[in-house]
Amino acid sequence: MYGKGILKGLGVTWKRFWDTYTEDIAWVLRGKKRYYTEEGVQHRSSKDQKGIFTVQYPEEKLIQPEESRFLPFLVYNKLPDGKREILCTSCGICPKVCPPQCIWIVRSNDPVTGRPIPEPTEFYIDMDLCMNCGYCAEYCPFDAIKMDHDFEVSSYGRNVYDMEKLLKSSEYYKSIRPLNYEREEAARITEAEAKKAKEAARAAAQAAKPANPPAAPTA
Amino acid sequence: MTMPAPASTATVDLAARFPDVVQLDARPDYTGFIVEKDSLLEVAAAIRDEFGFDLLSSVTGVDYAPDKMEVVYHAYRTSGGPGLAFKVQIPRIDPVEVPSLIHLWPGVDLQEREVWDLLGIKFSGHPDLRRILMWEGFEGHPLRKDWKEGFYEEDVKPFKSRWPQGKFAMAEDLNPFGDNLTFPKNFDPEKWIPEGEALLYGALARYTVENEDGISSDRIVINMGPHHPSTHGVFRAVMTLEGETIKGLKPVLGYLHRNHEKIGERNTFLQNMPYTDRLDYFNSMTNNFGYALAVEKLMKIPVAERADYIRVIVSELSRIQNHLVFIGTLLNDLGAMYTPSLYAYEERELVLDVFEAISGSRMMCNYYRFGGVVRDIPDDVMQKIKDLVYERIPPKTDELDRMLSENEVLLARMRGIRMINAEDAVAYSITGPVLRAAGVPYDIRRADPYGIYDRFDFDVAVRYNGDLMDNYLIRIDEIRQSLRILDQAIRQIPQGPINSQKPAYQVRVPAGEAYGRIESPKGELGFYVLSNGKPNPWRYHVRAPSFVNVTALEKISVGTKIADFVVLLAMFDMVMGECDR
Amino acid sequence: MDSETFNLPQYEIPEDLRHAVAVTTLDRLYNWGRRSSVWPLMFGLACCAIEMIAAQTARYDMARFGMEVMRPTPRQADLLIVSGTVTKKMLPPIIRLYNQMPEPKYVVAMGACASGGGPFKEGYNVVAGIDKFLPVDVYIPGCPPTPQALIAGLIKLQEKIDKQTIKEASWYKRKVKDPNYVPVPILGPDLIDPRRTADIKAAAAQKE
């Protein structure tokens, strides 16, 4: 019969349309809210999704996986006295590894000792160059630069971020990437302990030194 | 752990057959043969006819500044097996000229034009040697080592101006023309007469024709694109029509030419990885694969076992979502606006969710590293992949099949409209589903296995009619085969490290050349990478399937109706990011 | 928009009339109409275009904002989403498309490439930001911005539309020359911007 294929195809679309309402009813019967809840969004992004597929941004948002990356940001620790401890040490790995070369860092020297100050004097990222590849975060040895989850950053002008705009607290970082934060924190603690143990050993060695003064050279 | 395949020169000894004009390429870690320029045609004919290398996959040039230039050809047998590289060296004195191979392999047409455009190597005997990616009148040949663009800063990255005294400055402020521009000395824009497109229109068929009754009639010239909803990006086709029949056609490319290769030669090896994402932006996972293979061959490092499986899993997922989107957009082009493509995008979104969870980004995954991958697949994401592969994608593919494949309108538009026959498809260097739909069972995963594809049991999808319907159905076949591979890979994947190397932002790549190629969803994606031992590649060339496949567009379209042209074009599944690079 | 947002705060409406009557300004009504039917041009350039298409599909569904009608012709479009890398070769067609769009028209630079050249900025065939030629209303960073980020940017555009007023709308003013008209660049040895011929000539003469 001519037209059978078309009818079959229309049957598929009709089923899709119908599924939305049967699912709605099923959720009501189960006493759950299908829209505007995290559970609902999760279900609509799973294999069991049927009928409606829309996640109604901005009222609902997709659940971002932890590894999700958008723009880079710098991490600082809040100190008890309200000051910020910037983790970046201006080591220069991120500007070196950055594929589009969108990171600019000014490192200055201490006027007294002449040695470089770890904290960057200026830190610029041109977000209109950045390709969100995540290399800066991946290769940063100090966990000082990370990739953000926040994508609502559109603006009425060009986006060149200076240090003020780039800095975000480590609590924020913990909130978006809890597993990564935990892993890095654990690594930091073991490293600190190892360092402490080493120092203790050295101190012990030094403390032991006066007890055994080197034998005076005998003539 | 799989070691990278040794760079093979197949089993032919070209030097013994042509002792006077062919020598083995003796440079360390180079493969293939160097052919005398004057005997190129003779040797190439023997390579094709005597040795059976019927598919000339890639043509590219290398600028060995300051003294010589080289044209590199990679030929393969459609029956499978390793390939044969042959090269021609010419002194770097203009005009640099090499005989064109267009009469042996018509598929070199656009590639030779590209080499002319970017490197300034002339191909004598090429009937239509115009610029292809840039416009006529553009100054210079950009891929030559001594050519510098407006925003030129340094020869290689990383730039010294970024750290430690990285005062932020816009590149515009450093350029004398205040923008990404460079003009010859004493250039006067007011006196400039644009070359226009006389050459392009001249290359097309005649405007006025006279039929046998002595009546002369005009042909219409139609420009389709670069802004056209059915050209899948910024593709432009210029055609002459007689009534509704296409009498002549020329593709115009370069509207998305982003200078991938020039930037790639300035990048370090690792920095190129995220750039490859942006080639075929539907399939960043397979693009990464090809590039990683090429560089791993150069570095001679193995790939971690688990990473090998992960690579297969993500590549096949990528192939599935690509083909789903292909079917959706094909139906758009056929006039079934939106519904099929909306359905296809649903499955794609679910696959992209997986990609985002493991790599961080939906589209630009940047997931591969040399020796493995960057991140392991966590258990919950693995579960999600299993859900997709076993429970979600198979019924949805069947549903799409049920919805479309018997549709009478679809059948009327597609069945019996010939795309290309097997012989022409090979001559035109077509690869991928279009070649297989023409009846040539050539799939690199089987013909010249890379990674661990030799461990899986799957059929090479092939169909024999070569019409549009076959080109559509073969995509559904391939989705089903990909699901088979995924099933095996998911069951076999071992635990273990995901990278054989330590993470490092500087990799040491010994000098040499490598050609890494994979079966991307669009066809053969090849990366020709040349290292001279420095942190940056000396030459980085992408053999893009979309670009090479489009060579045959003229051959396919001439004689068909313009309404069918949209569908013919859709069958190539072109992505301009890869086509123009 | 419900009557809550429609109403002007200074007018007290009796309780029983609240669902039937709204007191508002012509501006608000006018802008509400415009912001709820922004028709984008069906125009994709590169990778970002795929995310733009994804934003049109079922999961993100731009139709909820009255933006589902993507017009292939610039004559019917209000919004040019520059979605991807603008190359020098592609620039003249883009400028022509923009010039053909009727007023009021808006331009969104989607992604790093359209905003400022992006990762390909250093390339010889790449225009470092469409704002050198067209007046851009909203910049959306990201490479590529996810569909949600695109929608966030379009909401930002709607906010901009809300702030415009009919009294100062330039598109109703009588004018001899269209102030938004952009001369189409010429492809020479490099891209020639007709507005800058004198600069280019001077700089080229200085070149050694």
Side-chain angles (χ1 to χ4, degrees):
Chain A
M1 186 190 80
Y2 195 77
K4 199 174 146 206
I6 294 176
L7 287 176
K8 221 168 154 185
L10 285 174
V12 172
T13 38
W14 173 252
K15 188 171 170 296
R16 290 264 183 144
F17 173 75
W18 192 243
D19 274 346
T20 304
Y21 298 100
T22 51
E23 276 287 291
D24 274 354
I25 293 164
W27 277 65
V28 168
L29 291 181
R30 265 183 279 154
K32 282 182 180 166
K33 274 190 81 179
R34 191 175 182 209
Y35 301 102
Y36 310 118
T37 57
E38 199 178 318
E39 192 190 2
V41 174
Q42 186 103 47
H43 185 261
R44 259 172 285 154
S45 324
S46 74
K47 68 172 173 24
D48 304 316
Q49 171 273 340
K50 260 186 186 170
I52 197 165
F53 194 63
T54 311
V55 174
Q56 300 182 43
Y57 181 83
E59 288 86 8
E60 301 171 315
K61 280 182 191 170
L62 282 177
I63 296 154
Q64 276 181 307
E66 174 160 346
E67 293 301 341
S68 179
R69 57 180 143 88
F70 205 60
L71 301 178
F73 69 96
L74 288 174
V75 188
Y76 70 85
N77 282 336
K78 250 191 213 138
L79 295 181
D81 58 353
K83 280 192 186 146
R84 298 182 306 194
E85 179 201 15
I86 296 170
L87 297 182
C88 175
T89 60
S90 333
C91 70
I93 286 180
C94 53
K96 276 183 212 149
V97 75
C98 176
Q101 297 283 298
C102 70
I103 304 178
W104 280 262
I105 300 178
V106 175
R107 185 183 68 182
S108 33
N109 292 337
D110 193 319
V112 184
T113 58
R115 288 170 60 185
I117 305 172
E119 193 168 292
T121 317
E122 283 176 38
F123 199 112
Y124 280 97
I125 299 184
D126 188 346
M127 293 302 177
D128 296 334
L129 291 187
C130 174
M131 67 201 297
N132 306 165
C133 66
Y135 274 162
C136 47
E138 191 179 324
Y139 292 107
C140 179
F142 301 98
D143 300 320
I145 188 165
K146 292 290 168 193
M147 301 304 278
D148 206 344
H149 279 187
D150 182 17
F151 54 82
E152 292 158 318
V153 282
S154 49
S155 64
Y156 297 129
R158 288 252 190 143
N159 292 288
V160 181
Y161 285 16
D162 60 2
M163 198 145 74
E164 256 337 283
K165 198 146 188 211
L166 284 168
L167 279 171
K168 290 190 176 177
S169 72
S170 51
E171 277 112 67
Y172 171 77
Y173 171 54
K174 192 180 172 183
S175 72
I176 59 168
R177 290 172 195 259
L179 293 176
N180 275 305
Y181 182 83
E182 229 169 75
R183 199 172 54 233
E184 286 156 13
E185 194 63 32
R188 267 197 293 272
I189 287 169
T190 35
E191 202 178 301
E193 272 169 4
K195 208 173 161 190
K196 218 188 243 168
K198 217 175 173 185
E199 260 169 33
R202 200 188 300 147
Q206 259 171 14
K209 256 181 203 165
N212 301 322
T218 45
Chain B
M1 237 180 233
T2 50
M3 286 300 289
S8 55
T9 321
T11 44
V12 295
D13 196 353
L14 209 57
R17 169 75 176 73
F18 297 96
D20 301 328
V21 291
V22 177
Q23 321 166 315
L24 199 71
D25 192 344
R27 292 170 286 185
D29 280 318
Y30 277 62
T31 52
F33 299 95
I34 296 174
V35 183
E36 286 292 321
K37 183 180 108 182
D38 298 329
S39 338
L40 177 67
L41 283 174
E42 187 199 344
V43 176
I47 289 171
R48 188 187 70 172
D49 301 331
E50 283 175 34
F51 297 104
F53 290 91
D54 46 355
L55 182 79
L56 187 70
S57 128
S58 147
V59 180
T60 187
V62 185
D63 178 9
Y64 287 98
D67 51 334
K68 63 181 176 184
M69 295 187 107
E70 193 177 271
V71 181
V72 185
Y73 302 87
H74 288 269
Y76 289 90
R77 293 182 173 123
T78 44
S79 52
L84 174 72
F86 57 103
K87 300 154 192 181
V88 182
Q89 292 186 337
I90 37 252
R92 196 173 182 275
I93 306 159
D94 278 320
V96 184
E97 211 161 350
V98 171
S100 167
L101 294 186
I102 194 162
H103 299 296
L104 290 169
W105 282 288
V108 299
D109 181 1
L110 298 190
Q111 296 188 74
E112 287 188 342
R113 279 176 64 191
E114 186 201 329
V115 175
W116 156 243
D117 185 358
L118 300 183
L119 279 152
I121 299 173
K122 271 208 162 112
F123 289 89
S124 47
H126 191 293
D128 184 22
L129 195 68
R130 288 174 290 123
R131 279 182 179 270
I132 183 162
L133 297 177
M134 303 305 288
W135 58 87
E136 288 298 330
F138 183 75
E139 176 88 6
H141 299 284
L143 277 184
R144 288 199 174 188
K145 290 286 176 187
D146 47 10
W147 192 92
K148 291 179 173 56
E149 62 266 71
F151 280 168
Y152 171 82
E153 204 172 328
E154 270 174 62
D155 270 339
V156 291
K157 288 178 184 173
F159 298 146
K160 291 183 186 68
S161 65
R162 300 296 195 268
W163 178 87
Q165 287 309 312
K167 279 276 176 209
F168 174 73
M170 299 293 274
E172 284 86 338
D173 302 335
L174 307 174
N175 178 284
F177 295 98
D179 204 346
N180 190 4
L181 298 172
T182 167
F183 289 99
K185 187 173 166 54
N186 289 331
F187 173 70
D188 186 355
E190 278 149 12
K191 296 209 181 95
W192 172 257
I193 302 156
E195 302 224 354
E197 295 183 321
L199 275 173
L200 165 65
Y201 293 118
L204 282 163
R206 290 166 298 145
Y207 296 124
T208 309
V209 283
E210 208 163 273
N211 67 4
E212 56 269 27
D213 302 333
I215 302 167
S216 69
S217 57
D218 280 358
R219 283 179 172 164
I220 314 164
V221 178
I222 296 251
N223 266 290
M224 193 172 148
H227 164 63
H228 188 282
S230 299
T231 54
H232 296 225
V234 285
F235 174 77
R236 174 176 165 209
V238 187
M239 45 191 129
T240 49
L241 300 180
E242 199 173 270
E244 277 188 41
T245 313
I246 298 173
K247 288 289 176 189
L249 180 140
K250 288 281 169 195
V252 185
L253 305 172
Y255 289 99
L256 193 56
H257 178 45
R258 304 193 272 196
N259 331 120
H260 194 90
E261 293 177 10
K262 183 86 180 172
I263 296 175
E265 284 167 21
R266 195 174 297 137
N267 283 345
T268 63
F269 284 95
L270 186 70
Q271 281 172 346
N272 267 335
M273 190 65 86
Y275 275 95
T276 62
D277 290 340
R278 286 150 180 85
L279 282 170
D280 169 1
Y281 30 76
F282 278 104
N283 297 297
S284 57
M285 287 293 192
T286 53
N287 298 343
N288 283 182
F289 203 164
Y291 179 62
L293 274 181
V295 178
E296 279 155 8
K297 256 187 207 172
L298 273 176
M299 293 169 74
K300 303 188 186 71
I301 55 168
V303 180
E305 179 90 359
R306 183 171 169 85
D308 257 333
Y309 278 92
I310 293 177
R311 286 177 173 194
V312 169
I313 290 173
V314 293
S315 296
E316 294 308 316
L317 280 175
S318 183
R319 192 183 315 275
I320 289 171
Q321 60 90 13
N322 177 77
H323 285 347
L324 284 170
V325 171
F326 162 81
I327 293 167
T329 46
L330 170 69
L331 268 287
N332 260 6
D333 291 344
L334 280 166
M337 279 311 258
Y338 294 140
T339 308
S341 92
L342 289 180
Y343 289 4
Y345 265 84
E346 287 185 9
E347 299 337 297
R348 175 170 188 261
E349 286 293 331
L350 294 180
V351 174
L352 294 196
D353 278 355
V354 169
F355 288 174
E356 189 175 5
I358 56 175
S359 76
S361 184
R362 289 156 43 85
M363 279 170 71
M364 305 305 172
C365 298
N366 187 18
Y367 185 56
Y368 289 45
R369 297 289 177 270
F370 308 127
V373 294
V374 58
R375 218 171 274 117
D376 205 352
I377 302 184
D379 290 340
D380 57 328
V381 181
M382 202 56 169
Q383 186 54 46
K384 205 161 179 185
I385 294 175
K386 283 179 191 161
D387 289 346
L388 283 180
V389 171
Y390 294 123
E391 291 176 51
R392 175 82 189 190
I393 294 171
K396 289 289 172 183
T397 311
D398 295 345
E399 188 185 278
L400 214 59
D401 195 10
R402 196 162 66 238
M403 178 174 151
L404 301 173
S405 303
E406 288 172 34
N407 186 312
E408 283 81 359
V409 181
L410 203 75
L411 291 174
R413 285 292 304 272
M414 301 213 294
R415 191 184 275 166
I417 296 176
R418 177 165 275 284
M419 185 119 175
I420 195 161
N421 61 28
E423 202 179 316
D424 285 339
V426 175
Y428 276 90
S429 306
I430 289 182
T431 46
V434 180
L435 177 66
R436 292 191 286 275
V440 183
Y442 180 70
D443 185 324
I444 300 169
R445 289 175 292 173
R446 180 56 54 78
D448 185 11
Y450 54 93
I452 51 163
Y453 273 106
D454 47 355
R455 297 186 197 171
F456 300 114
D457 175 33
F458 68 101
D459 298 322
V460 175
V462 59
R463 287 187 176 253
Y464 298 96
N465 292 329
D467 62 353
L468 296 179
M469 197 64 198
D470 269 9
N471 272 284
Y472 155 76
L473 289 172
I474 200 159
R475 262 62 179 219
I476 294 186
D477 296 346
E478 287 198 6
I479 293 175
R480 299 209 166 112
Q481 294 304 327
S482 289
L483 287 169
R484 264 178 82 183
I485 299 175
L486 276 167
D487 166 48
Q488 296 166 46
I490 290 171
R491 277 193 280 113
Q492 295 170 14
I493 185 167
Q495 290 297 327
I498 46 149
N499 200 330
S500 65
Q501 311 291 307
K502 283 210 176 78
Y505 67 94
Q506 280 161 326
V507 289
R508 253 192 58 76
V509 181
E513 63 163 7
Y515 184 64
R517 58 181 203 142
I518 59 149
E519 182 72 30
S520 97
K522 267 111 189 164
E524 175 183 336
L525 175 67
F527 286 86
Y528 179 69
V529 184
L530 205 78
S531 165
N532 57 353
K534 301 244 172 66
N536 313 72
W538 178 256
R539 179 82 174 94
Y540 164 75
H541 172 70
V542 184
R543 186 264 187 218
S546 300
F547 178 71
V548 182
N549 285 358
V550 91
T551 315
L553 190 65
E554 186 178 354
K555 163 90 184 162
I556 291 171
S557 322
V558 169
T560 59
K561 298 264 190 273
I562 186 164
D564 291 333
F565 171 73
V566 172
V567 193
L568 287 167
L569 187 65
M571 286 306 174
F572 282 120
D573 195 8
M574 286 167 69
V575 170
M576 295 317 287
E578 174 183 77
C579 184
D580 292 348
R581 282 154 288 149
Chain C
M1 212 198 271
D2 51 19
S3 60
E4 282 299 296
T5 38
F6 244 147
N7 276 329
L8 290 180
Q10 61 265 45
Y11 294 97
E12 195 62 38
I13 300 169
E15 186 68 43
D16 45 345
L17 283 178
R18 215 159 257 180
H19 295 290
V21 174
V23 180
T24 187
T25 58
L26 199 55
D27 260 345
R28 279 203 183 194
L29 197 64
Y30 175 70
N31 285 338
W32 168 75
R34 289 193 310 129
R35 58 135 44 201
S36 315
S37 63
V38 178
W39 289 2
L41 183 66
M42 192 178 202
F43 171 64
L45 282 173
C47 335
C48 289
I50 309 303
E51 291 294 61
M52 182 175 76
I53 294 165
Q56 292 280 358
T57 59
R59 193 178 224 180
Y60 307 99
D61 195 12
M62 255 155 68
R64 296 177 292 124
F65 301 87
M67 295 179 186
E68 78 276 28
V69 204
M70 283 206 131
R71 299 278 87 179
T73 162
R75 301 282 184 202
Q76 300 167 347
D78 309 308
L79 168 65
L80 178 66
I81 302 180
V82 185
S83 52
T85 317
V86 182
T87 59
K88 290 178 182 168
K89 198 171 179 181
M90 189 61 200
L91 189 64
I94 297 176
I95 304 282
R96 282 199 198 101
L97 286 171
Y98 177 79
N99 285 338
Q100 286 175 19
M101 283 166 63
E103 291 270 15
K105 53 189 169 186
Y106 301 94
V107 179
V108 168
M110 179 186 182
C113 290
S115 308
F120 297 97
K121 180 175 180 176
E122 63 198 280
Y124 47 87
N125 191 25
V126 175
V127 176
I130 190 69
D131 57 357
K132 296 206 166 132
F133 293 89
L134 306 181
V136 175
D137 294 287
V138 175
Y139 295 78
I140 309 175
C143 189
T146 59
Q148 289 188 345
L150 173 63
I151 293 175
L154 293 174
I155 292 172
K156 197 115 182 163
L157 178 72
Q158 289 188 328
E159 284 164 14
K160 183 164 188 165
I161 295 175
D162 282 339
K163 283 186 198 126
Q164 291 177 321
T165 134
I166 200 166
K167 271 186 279 180
E168 284 159 29
S170 66
W171 47 92
Y172 293 126
K173 294 218 172 90
R174 188 186 293 262
K175 55 209 158 196
V176 187
K177 206 174 147 239
D178 184 357
N180 282 339
Y181 177 78
V182 184
V184 178
I186 303 158
L187 297 177
D190 210 327
L191 190 78
I192 304 171
D193 185 349
R195 299 169 297 182
R196 291 192 47 211
T197 44
D199 293 1
I200 291 172
K201 194 178 171 183
Q206 298 253 312
K207 201 175 171 185
E208 72 277 358

